Short mmCIF file of all heavy atoms in Angstrom, two decimals:
data_model
loop_
_atom_site.label_atom_id
_atom_site.label_comp_id
_atom_site.label_asym_id
_atom_site.label_seq_id
_atom_site.Cartn_x
_atom_site.Cartn_y
_atom_site.Cartn_z
N HIS A 156 154.66 -138.74 -142.59
CA HIS A 156 153.34 -139.31 -142.25
C HIS A 156 152.38 -138.20 -141.83
O HIS A 156 152.80 -137.12 -141.40
CB HIS A 156 153.48 -140.36 -141.14
CG HIS A 156 153.43 -139.82 -139.75
ND1 HIS A 156 154.57 -139.48 -139.03
CD2 HIS A 156 152.39 -139.57 -138.90
CE1 HIS A 156 154.22 -139.05 -137.83
NE2 HIS A 156 152.90 -139.08 -137.73
N THR A 157 151.10 -138.49 -141.96
CA THR A 157 150.06 -137.61 -141.44
C THR A 157 148.97 -138.47 -140.87
O THR A 157 148.82 -139.64 -141.24
CB THR A 157 149.53 -136.65 -142.52
OG1 THR A 157 148.71 -135.64 -141.87
CG2 THR A 157 148.70 -137.38 -143.56
N ALA A 158 148.16 -137.88 -139.93
CA ALA A 158 147.25 -138.69 -139.14
C ALA A 158 148.07 -139.82 -138.56
O ALA A 158 149.20 -139.59 -138.11
CB ALA A 158 146.08 -139.16 -140.00
N SER A 159 147.57 -141.08 -138.57
CA SER A 159 148.43 -142.22 -138.23
C SER A 159 148.59 -143.09 -139.44
O SER A 159 148.55 -144.32 -139.38
CB SER A 159 147.88 -142.98 -137.02
OG SER A 159 148.24 -142.33 -135.81
N LEU A 160 148.79 -142.42 -140.58
CA LEU A 160 149.08 -143.10 -141.84
C LEU A 160 150.59 -142.98 -142.09
O LEU A 160 151.07 -141.97 -142.59
CB LEU A 160 148.26 -142.45 -142.99
CG LEU A 160 146.76 -142.51 -142.79
CD1 LEU A 160 146.06 -141.64 -143.85
CD2 LEU A 160 146.25 -143.93 -142.84
N PHE A 161 151.29 -144.00 -141.63
CA PHE A 161 152.76 -143.98 -141.67
C PHE A 161 153.28 -144.61 -142.97
O PHE A 161 152.57 -145.42 -143.61
CB PHE A 161 153.32 -144.72 -140.47
CG PHE A 161 153.26 -143.94 -139.20
CD1 PHE A 161 152.06 -143.85 -138.48
CD2 PHE A 161 154.37 -143.27 -138.71
CE1 PHE A 161 152.00 -143.13 -137.29
CE2 PHE A 161 154.33 -142.55 -137.52
CZ PHE A 161 153.12 -142.47 -136.81
N PRO A 162 154.52 -144.30 -143.36
CA PRO A 162 155.08 -144.85 -144.59
C PRO A 162 155.03 -146.39 -144.61
O PRO A 162 155.34 -147.05 -143.60
CB PRO A 162 156.54 -144.36 -144.56
CG PRO A 162 156.49 -143.09 -143.78
CD PRO A 162 155.46 -143.33 -142.74
N HIS A 163 154.59 -146.92 -145.75
CA HIS A 163 154.61 -148.36 -146.02
C HIS A 163 153.78 -149.18 -145.04
O HIS A 163 154.10 -150.32 -144.74
CB HIS A 163 156.06 -148.87 -146.05
CG HIS A 163 156.95 -148.10 -146.95
ND1 HIS A 163 156.84 -148.12 -148.33
CD2 HIS A 163 157.99 -147.25 -146.68
CE1 HIS A 163 157.75 -147.33 -148.85
NE2 HIS A 163 158.46 -146.78 -147.89
N THR A 164 152.69 -148.58 -144.50
CA THR A 164 151.78 -149.33 -143.63
C THR A 164 150.51 -149.67 -144.38
O THR A 164 150.14 -148.99 -145.36
CB THR A 164 151.44 -148.54 -142.36
OG1 THR A 164 150.93 -147.25 -142.72
CG2 THR A 164 152.69 -148.35 -141.50
N GLU A 165 149.82 -150.70 -143.92
CA GLU A 165 148.64 -151.20 -144.63
C GLU A 165 147.52 -150.14 -144.70
O GLU A 165 146.74 -150.12 -145.65
CB GLU A 165 148.11 -152.47 -143.94
CG GLU A 165 149.03 -153.68 -144.15
CD GLU A 165 148.39 -154.94 -143.60
OE1 GLU A 165 147.18 -154.93 -143.29
OE2 GLU A 165 149.12 -155.96 -143.47
N GLY A 166 147.46 -149.29 -143.71
CA GLY A 166 146.38 -148.32 -143.66
C GLY A 166 146.35 -147.34 -144.84
O GLY A 166 145.32 -146.76 -145.14
N LEU A 167 147.49 -147.20 -145.51
CA LEU A 167 147.56 -146.30 -146.66
C LEU A 167 146.64 -146.76 -147.78
O LEU A 167 146.18 -145.95 -148.61
CB LEU A 167 148.98 -146.24 -147.21
CG LEU A 167 150.05 -145.66 -146.25
CD1 LEU A 167 151.42 -145.74 -146.91
CD2 LEU A 167 149.73 -144.23 -145.88
N ASN A 168 146.35 -148.05 -147.83
CA ASN A 168 145.60 -148.62 -148.95
C ASN A 168 144.12 -148.85 -148.64
O ASN A 168 143.40 -149.37 -149.48
CB ASN A 168 146.24 -149.95 -149.37
CG ASN A 168 147.70 -149.78 -149.77
OD1 ASN A 168 148.01 -148.90 -150.54
ND2 ASN A 168 148.57 -150.64 -149.23
N ASP A 169 143.70 -148.47 -147.42
CA ASP A 169 142.29 -148.70 -147.06
C ASP A 169 141.43 -147.56 -147.58
O ASP A 169 141.51 -146.41 -147.12
CB ASP A 169 142.15 -148.82 -145.54
CG ASP A 169 140.79 -149.39 -145.15
OD1 ASP A 169 139.78 -148.91 -145.65
OD2 ASP A 169 140.77 -150.35 -144.37
#
Side-chain angles (χ1 to χ4, degrees):
H156 87 267
T157 191
S159 278
L160 300 171
F161 283 79
H163 308 292
T164 55
E165 290 187 12
L167 297 176
N168 301 312
D169 195 310

